[in-house]
Amino acid sequence: MLIIILLNLQVAVYTRYAAKQVKTTAAFQQFKLHTNETSASRAGHKINLEQNLILEIRQENIDQVDIQIYDEANKHFRIPSDPPFNYNDVKDPQQLDHYDYEVKVQENNIAIQVQRDNATIFQITDLIFSETYIEFTHTPQNKQMWGLGERNQVGFRFREGIYTLFARDEPNIIEDGKRPGKHVYSSHPVLLSMEESGKFNVIFYKTSSPMDVTYEEDKMKFITIGGIIHIKLFLGDSSPRTAIKKYHQYLGGWMLPPFWGFGFHQCRWGYKNSSVLIDVVQQYQKNYIPIDIIWTDLDYMDDRQIFSVDNYNFPKKDFQYLKGLGVRYIPLLDVAVGVKYGTKDQGYKKGTEYDVFLYSPYTGYRFQGYVWPGDSYFPDFFHPNISQYWNEMHEHLYEQVEFDGLWVDMNEPANFCEGECNWSNHHRDHPKREDKLNQEITFPYIPGEIPLANKTLPPHLLHHGQYLHKDVHNLYGIMDSYYTYQAQKALGKVQPFQITRSTFPGTGKYAQHWTGDNGASWDFLYLSLGQVFQFQIFGIPMVGADVCGFMGDTNDKLCCRWIQLAFFYPFFRNHNNDLSKPQEFFNLGVHVVQSAQKNIHLRYTLLKWFYSVFIREQNHGSIINPLFFIFPEDYLTYRDFVMDTQLLIGEELMGAPILKEGVTRIAYFPDSNWYDLITGLELKGKQDHTLYCSYNEIVPIFIRSGYLVIQNTKEIIKNLKSLDNHYRIIAAPINSEAKGVFADLENFEDEEKALEAQLINFKLVVEEQSVRISISKSHSELIIDEILIYGLECSYKQCTSGYYKYNSVFKGPFNLGQDKTELVLK
């Protein structure tokens, strides 16, 4: 008894609320929380407490629970439920026969625990709740956690430290878990956790508030400066991908990007005219490096004004010429609208007519910012006229240059002043809005310790709907992506392609992501794979880093290794800034050219299969997997060097790129037989192997036994249009069988058909007298030029030995598809 009293006294020091249950139904509980205390103190700051709170617990599904704590007056900000935030919440859940979890509420000194397998997997204790400060503590079961981004952290695992989630334009910065915050472009308060039982769950703190997460002494403290506490918990099984898929289903899934988006992209800040674009494309083609998309940074704009084109330096005829070279075009599109040309600029003219620009909380006139166009206004993406304005401006841009996709940048939103700028020429040609005036907010705590207005908008600025900017700042990027997606749809784009910098949960339904302004360094090369893994959790699987680095001068060794790693990025773009040396691959020497030729060619031969893996996941789940996602019960896959540097595309192909200077590495091969994809050399599983790879060779890549992949056999590939319906099957049977998938598409660039595509299921069976390949029904015709079977000694009439004795090669051509669903090799 004495021990229990001491424990309660310890809790009472920090936990201020008592609970009383007021409603209970089959799958819903409601409590009133109350404290007699009026204030709390943190770091010498007084916090005025909300004395009356509501706690609601919804058992939404057998493996999904929703916990909300909010102010009784229900005045605190909540994420809206309109698109793009139309997540799959269950307002009135139905009772089920059983649940995989139990929720316990300690009423006196409130504590909430979610338990399964007789252990607490999530909890809320030490509650403090006010209008501008919310704090609670969760005690994880162990240190196996991943997520909470976006941050440029070296390594995938979530480690002890203090971390900030607040969208911020900060280039070339690496997370160290210390103050000031090293947060960058996005906010994803999402954590994948492994329980002591070996099962996994995903915790989503559904808030857009600026946040700090302090993880030390085995406790995790969450601090926000507004909103409510809204926790979604998705319980999976022993596979991490199960919990991740449940989270993605809640968000509404992710969009299938267009096939052409998987091609090689080239960009540079500093392409001063379209003749340079043409030359760059032609140089790639002369060097036999496949290329499908050319980009421009700010350079194409008329004096950096968005929705404008410098028609003198970038005439329309040159873009038509680029199309004739077989490449697509993507321009940069920022959000800030310049004011220097007044109504002569269409973006300014229409924006003022529709009154979609934000107003200053200080003056009541339009907010004065400064970005690349100079003095600038910012669109209010909550304004009811924004859709019409955004659609019209994209149509206006499209009339000037027929872009194929868009690059939406600076949408944190980034601003070059700390809060409002002091323009020399104040625009006062519009009515003052008294309703937009607002007092500054005194915060008892600043996440990240960097002023909230630093390089962005002030936290007390009011958006339409009386939303404070501090509450919707982290939503600005997804709102930009959503309306840009809609604008592209209005232009007739079937699968709108856009790469966005700032993201939030749900962005994957509308956009893809690149990891921002990285550095040309080995550290940024190394950490980029962990970033790709993070965004698999976050629901934006098509992601990549700027290959060879954006800031600073790259070098040939670094760039060779980055090309090898980017083989596995879903989004593969070479890009750097105008102050660095040009880093087009053909400008960096013979080894870089050789690395690009070999790796990009191999990537292109596998892209139809790669795209089929995306289709297989049906818009939910991870594509680029750390090894423990596929082998969760193998504790050797949890070693940092394995977790951070090896990957699987789906379940079939394992990559082991070298991410440090040198030509060898140790790689772990999990429990399976593995074969070098190119040579068929066998490497046994459940052990480490030393791999050698020179800088100008193909990245180490291996096929897993039990699987097969489909590869184009084209020898010379200029772009994706070069790919035909001639293929090679590479199979690695286990127990005499191998399986694989391929999209049933005659033309992978037919976007309408791609969205409806079915999969062809392949099965290869090794029999005593023959090898039998069968497929499910297919509308496509596949010409199989060659079949490689690894791990099978050649003992058949039609086969020849491969590179190694235990490899068999069957030379075609063989026909599969349409009416022919089986192939027998004697």
Side-chain angles (χ1 to χ4, degrees):
M1 180 64 70
L2 181 61
I3 295 175
I4 294 173
I5 292 172
L6 287 174
L7 285 172
N8 278 335
L9 283 174
Q10 179 66 28
V11 172
V13 173
Y14 298 99
T15 306
R16 304 166 183 279
Y17 292 88
K20 180 181 179 182
Q21 189 166 43
V22 294
K23 187 183 294 185
T24 180
T25 63
F28 173 76
Q29 296 180 70
Q30 186 181 74
F31 297 80
K32 283 192 174 183
L33 309 186
H34 176 75
T35 179
N36 291 320
E37 300 176 52
T38 58
S39 65
S41 179
R42 277 291 180 269
H45 295 281
K46 181 182 177 183
I47 299 167
N48 294 319
L49 295 174
E50 294 276 6
Q51 291 184 279
N52 297 300
L53 304 174
I54 302 295
L55 163 64
E56 292 181 350
I57 300 168
R58 288 175 175 81
Q59 296 174 227
E60 293 187 326
N61 210 326
I62 187 174
D63 48 18
Q64 182 173 316
V65 62
D66 177 284
I67 301 170
Q68 298 182 40
I69 301 176
Y70 59 92
D71 55 303
E72 191 174 43
N74 206 11
K75 292 181 178 179
H76 287 207
F77 175 79
R78 290 172 177 260
I79 295 174
S81 57
D82 300 323
F85 310 110
N86 51 330
Y87 307 131
N88 293 315
D89 287 290
V90 182
K91 186 175 180 181
D92 298 310
Q94 301 299 306
Q95 183 179 10
L96 303 175
D97 291 337
H98 74 281
Y99 297 89
D100 284 351
Y101 58 87
E102 182 181 6
V103 183
K104 293 185 177 180
V105 177
Q106 176 182 294
E107 294 190 350
N108 193 8
N109 302 321
I110 183 69
I112 305 161
Q113 294 182 337
V114 181
Q115 298 182 337
R116 75 163 164 174
D117 298 323
N118 300 314
T120 299
I121 60 172
F122 176 77
Q123 59 191 302
I124 294 176
T125 61
D126 306 344
L127 176 65
I128 297 176
F129 199 109
S130 79
E131 188 175 0
T132 55
Y133 184 94
I134 296 174
E135 175 188 319
F136 70 86
T137 298
H138 161 57
T139 304
Q141 284 186 291
N142 55 51
K143 297 183 182 297
Q144 303 288 16
M145 295 178 290
W146 305 266
L148 293 176
E150 179 180 13
R151 293 170 292 105
N152 299 326
Q153 66 179 42
V154 180
F156 180 38
R157 193 192 315 273
F158 189 75
R159 291 180 171 82
E160 289 196 349
I162 180 167
Y163 305 99
T164 302
L165 277 66
F166 184 62
R168 176 172 171 239
D169 172 21
E170 190 60 50
N172 200 16
I173 188 170
I174 293 180
E175 177 67 81
D176 60 5
K178 300 176 182 177
R179 303 287 78 178
K182 309 300 185 300
H183 43 297
V184 287
Y185 313 106
S186 308
S187 176
H188 288 273
V190 183
L191 190 69
L192 172 70
S193 300
M194 181 183 183
E195 302 165 17
E196 291 293 348
S197 66
K199 297 176 183 176
F200 289 82
N201 64 63
V202 167
I203 301 164
F204 174 32
Y205 189 170
K206 187 181 174 182
T207 180
S208 56
S209 175
M211 178 187 299
D212 265 351
V213 182
T214 302
Y215 178 38
E216 56 188 14
E217 297 178 354
D218 296 327
K219 291 184 179 292
M220 188 175 284
K221 182 188 295 181
F222 292 83
I223 299 173
T224 65
I225 56 169
I228 65 171
I229 296 174
H230 191 175
I231 302 295
K232 310 287 297 192
L233 189 59
F234 306 91
L235 306 183
D237 52 26
S238 59
S239 168
R241 301 176 79 201
T242 303
I244 291 169
K245 185 163 284 203
K246 292 177 189 297
Y247 171 59
H248 293 177
Q249 288 167 341
Y250 169 73
L251 296 178
W254 40 261
M255 69 170 290
L256 178 70
F259 178 64
W260 60 263
F262 291 82
F264 170 62
H265 302 247
Q266 175 61 49
C267 183
R268 174 170 164 79
W269 184 5
Y271 290 153
K272 297 301 183 185
N273 56 63
S274 47
S275 297
V276 178
L277 304 182
I278 292 169
D279 181 64
V280 167
V281 171
Q282 290 176 331
Q283 288 293 327
Y284 271 107
Q285 292 176 344
K286 286 177 184 176
N287 282 278
Y288 300 101
I289 300 171
I291 181 171
D292 266 272
I293 308 96
I294 190 76
W295 297 47
T296 50
D297 208 301
L298 295 161
D299 312 281
Y300 82 97
M301 299 178 188
D302 186 3
D303 195 20
R304 299 182 171 181
Q305 308 303 303
I306 71 167
F307 301 121
S308 74
V309 176
D310 177 354
N311 292 311
Y312 178 77
N313 288 304
F314 293 86
K316 258 189 175 182
K317 64 179 179 63
D318 283 356
F319 290 105
Q320 291 301 318
Y321 191 84
L322 282 166
K323 280 191 176 180
L325 293 175
V327 295
R328 298 174 187 264
Y329 170 66
I330 294 179
L332 176 77
L333 188 61
D334 293 338
V335 292
V337 177
V339 307
K340 63 161 61 173
Y341 296 105
T343 55
K344 293 180 181 178
D345 176 76
Q346 197 71 3
Y348 174 91
K349 180 176 183 290
K350 285 294 184 181
T352 52
E353 286 177 9
Y354 286 126
D355 193 25
V356 295
F357 296 129
L358 290 164
Y359 283 80
S360 166
Y362 303 103
T363 67
Y365 293 99
R366 291 193 181 105
F367 178 81
Q368 299 178 160
Y370 190 91
V371 201
W372 297 118
D375 294 345
S376 303
Y377 288 152
F378 288 87
D380 182 356
F381 285 107
F382 288 95
H383 196 284
N385 293 338
I386 193 67
S387 180
Q388 188 170 358
Y389 170 67
W390 217 238
N391 284 7
E392 287 184 17
M393 294 318 304
H394 282 74
E395 184 178 1
H396 174 69
L397 179 61
Y398 196 69
E399 288 170 353
Q400 299 170 83
V401 57
E402 293 185 0
F403 53 82
D404 293 283
L406 289 169
W407 172 19
V408 293
D409 194 12
M410 307 295 285
N411 55 352
E412 288 72 33
N415 178 24
F416 295 162
C417 300
E418 184 159 317
E420 187 151 31
C421 305
N422 185 21
W423 291 356
S424 57
N425 180 23
H426 292 269
H427 283 237
R428 294 289 186 265
D429 57 352
H430 55 279
K432 181 177 181 179
R433 292 285 299 272
E434 298 287 344
D435 60 322
K436 298 295 185 181
L437 296 171
N438 196 26
Q439 295 292 317
E440 291 195 27
I441 304 169
T442 301
F443 293 100
Y445 182 90
I446 302 295
E449 293 184 355
I450 297 170
L452 295 175
N454 178 258
K455 297 175 69 174
T456 189
L457 314 184
H460 62 300
L461 178 146
L462 291 167
H463 292 250
H464 187 86
Q466 295 300 101
Y467 295 142
L468 289 166
H469 183 74
K470 62 106 175 171
D471 291 323
V472 300
H473 173 89
N474 283 334
L475 305 180
Y476 199 89
I478 186 176
M479 297 289 280
D480 175 25
S481 296
Y482 171 72
Y483 284 107
T484 302
Y485 174 90
Q486 300 297 344
Q488 289 202 62
K489 292 288 277 187
L491 289 170
K493 305 290 186 185
V494 177
Q495 288 175 288
F497 186 81
Q498 61 170 316
I499 296 293
T500 179
R501 193 165 75 174
S502 185
T503 65
F504 188 78
T507 295
K509 288 185 287 187
Y510 311 105
Q512 294 75 42
H513 178 60
W514 102 104
T515 59
D517 298 342
N518 61 0
S521 71
W522 291 96
D523 280 344
F524 269 104
L525 167 67
Y526 184 96
L527 67 82
S528 69
L529 185 54
Q531 292 176 311
V532 171
F533 293 155
Q534 284 216 358
F535 277 88
Q536 306 303 301
I537 298 173
F538 298 157
I540 312 174
M542 188 168 194
V543 60
D546 279 342
V547 175
C548 301
F550 174 74
M551 301 191 75
D553 294 332
T554 195
N555 61 70
D556 58 348
K557 289 183 177 180
L558 174 64
C559 201
C560 283
R561 289 302 188 214
W562 219 316
I563 291 166
Q564 291 172 348
L565 173 60
F567 176 97
F568 303 105
Y569 289 169
F571 175 58
F572 186 164
R573 180 182 73 162
N574 178 358
H575 174 50
N576 73 329
N577 74 59
D578 59 339
L579 300 178
S580 303
K581 293 179 181 177
Q583 66 182 34
E584 294 82 10
F585 300 146
F586 54 79
N587 279 321
L588 295 178
V590 63
H591 284 163
V592 175
V593 169
Q594 290 170 343
S595 180
Q597 287 171 337
K598 296 173 184 177
N599 286 282
I600 297 178
H601 181 274
L602 179 61
R603 175 187 170 92
Y604 269 63
T605 67
L606 290 165
L607 274 186
K608 289 185 178 181
W609 170 79
F610 195 0
Y611 198 60
S612 304
V613 175
F614 267 77
I615 292 172
R616 179 176 66 190
E617 292 303 319
Q618 298 183 322
N619 307 103
H620 306 86
S622 58
I623 304 292
I624 306 299
N625 299 297
L627 267 54
F628 78 91
F629 275 25
I630 307 301
F631 298 92
E633 295 178 1
D634 185 345
Y635 71 95
L636 292 175
T637 65
Y638 293 87
R639 292 175 292 172
D640 284 339
F641 86 90
V642 178
M643 185 181 297
D644 296 345
T645 68
Q646 293 180 238
L647 66 123
L648 282 151
I649 303 177
E651 300 178 355
E652 292 96 319
L653 294 185
M654 181 174 73
I658 297 177
L659 303 183
K660 295 180 179 179
E661 203 163 357
V663 293
T664 61
R665 65 156 295 165
I666 305 295
Y668 176 65
F669 286 67
D671 187 11
S672 186
N673 290 334
W674 299 88
Y675 301 87
D676 184 289
L677 186 69
I678 308 304
T679 67
L681 175 65
E682 182 178 2
L683 292 96
K684 294 296 184 182
K686 296 194 77 172
Q687 58 185 283
D688 293 338
H689 291 278
T690 299
L691 305 179
Y692 174 87
C693 179
S694 59
Y695 288 97
N696 61 341
E697 290 300 327
I698 289 172
V699 65
I701 183 170
F702 307 89
I703 185 169
R704 179 183 172 194
S705 60
Y707 293 91
L708 61 84
V709 297
I710 318 295
Q711 180 187 25
N712 273 99
T713 54
K714 198 79 172 179
E715 291 293 332
I716 298 176
I717 299 174
K718 185 178 179 181
N719 51 41
L720 289 169
K721 287 181 170 49
S722 303
L723 302 177
D724 54 25
N725 67 336
H726 286 253
Y727 302 99
R728 173 184 296 113
I729 295 175
I730 304 177
I734 189 170
N735 298 325
S736 300
E737 290 189 5
K739 63 180 180 179
V741 297
F742 200 66
D744 189 4
L745 287 168
E746 286 285 356
N747 177 10
F748 277 66
E749 293 192 67
D750 186 327
E751 296 182 13
E752 290 186 356
K753 290 185 177 178
L755 289 174
E756 303 295 328
Q758 299 298 309
L759 289 174
I760 306 169
N761 293 299
F762 278 74
K763 185 176 182 181
L764 180 146
V765 179
V766 177
E767 300 171 344
E768 188 173 340
Q769 300 296 327
S770 63
V771 174
R772 189 178 303 271
I773 299 173
S774 59
I775 63 171
S776 58
K777 187 176 181 181
S778 165
H779 297 93
S780 308
E781 181 186 20
L782 309 175
I783 300 171
I784 310 300
D785 290 329
E786 190 174 59
I787 300 167
L788 306 183
I789 305 178
Y790 294 154
L792 176 69
E793 187 170 5
C794 178
S795 59
Y796 303 89
K797 290 181 181 178
Q798 288 178 257
C799 90
T800 57
S801 293
Y803 295 103
Y804 296 93
K805 179 181 177 183
Y806 290 99
N807 292 335
S808 295
V809 181
F810 294 85
K811 292 287 186 180
F814 310 105
N815 291 315
L816 273 175
Q818 296 182 337
D819 296 330
K820 187 173 178 59
T821 59
E822 190 171 79
L823 176 65
V824 179
L825 307 171
K826 297 291 186 179

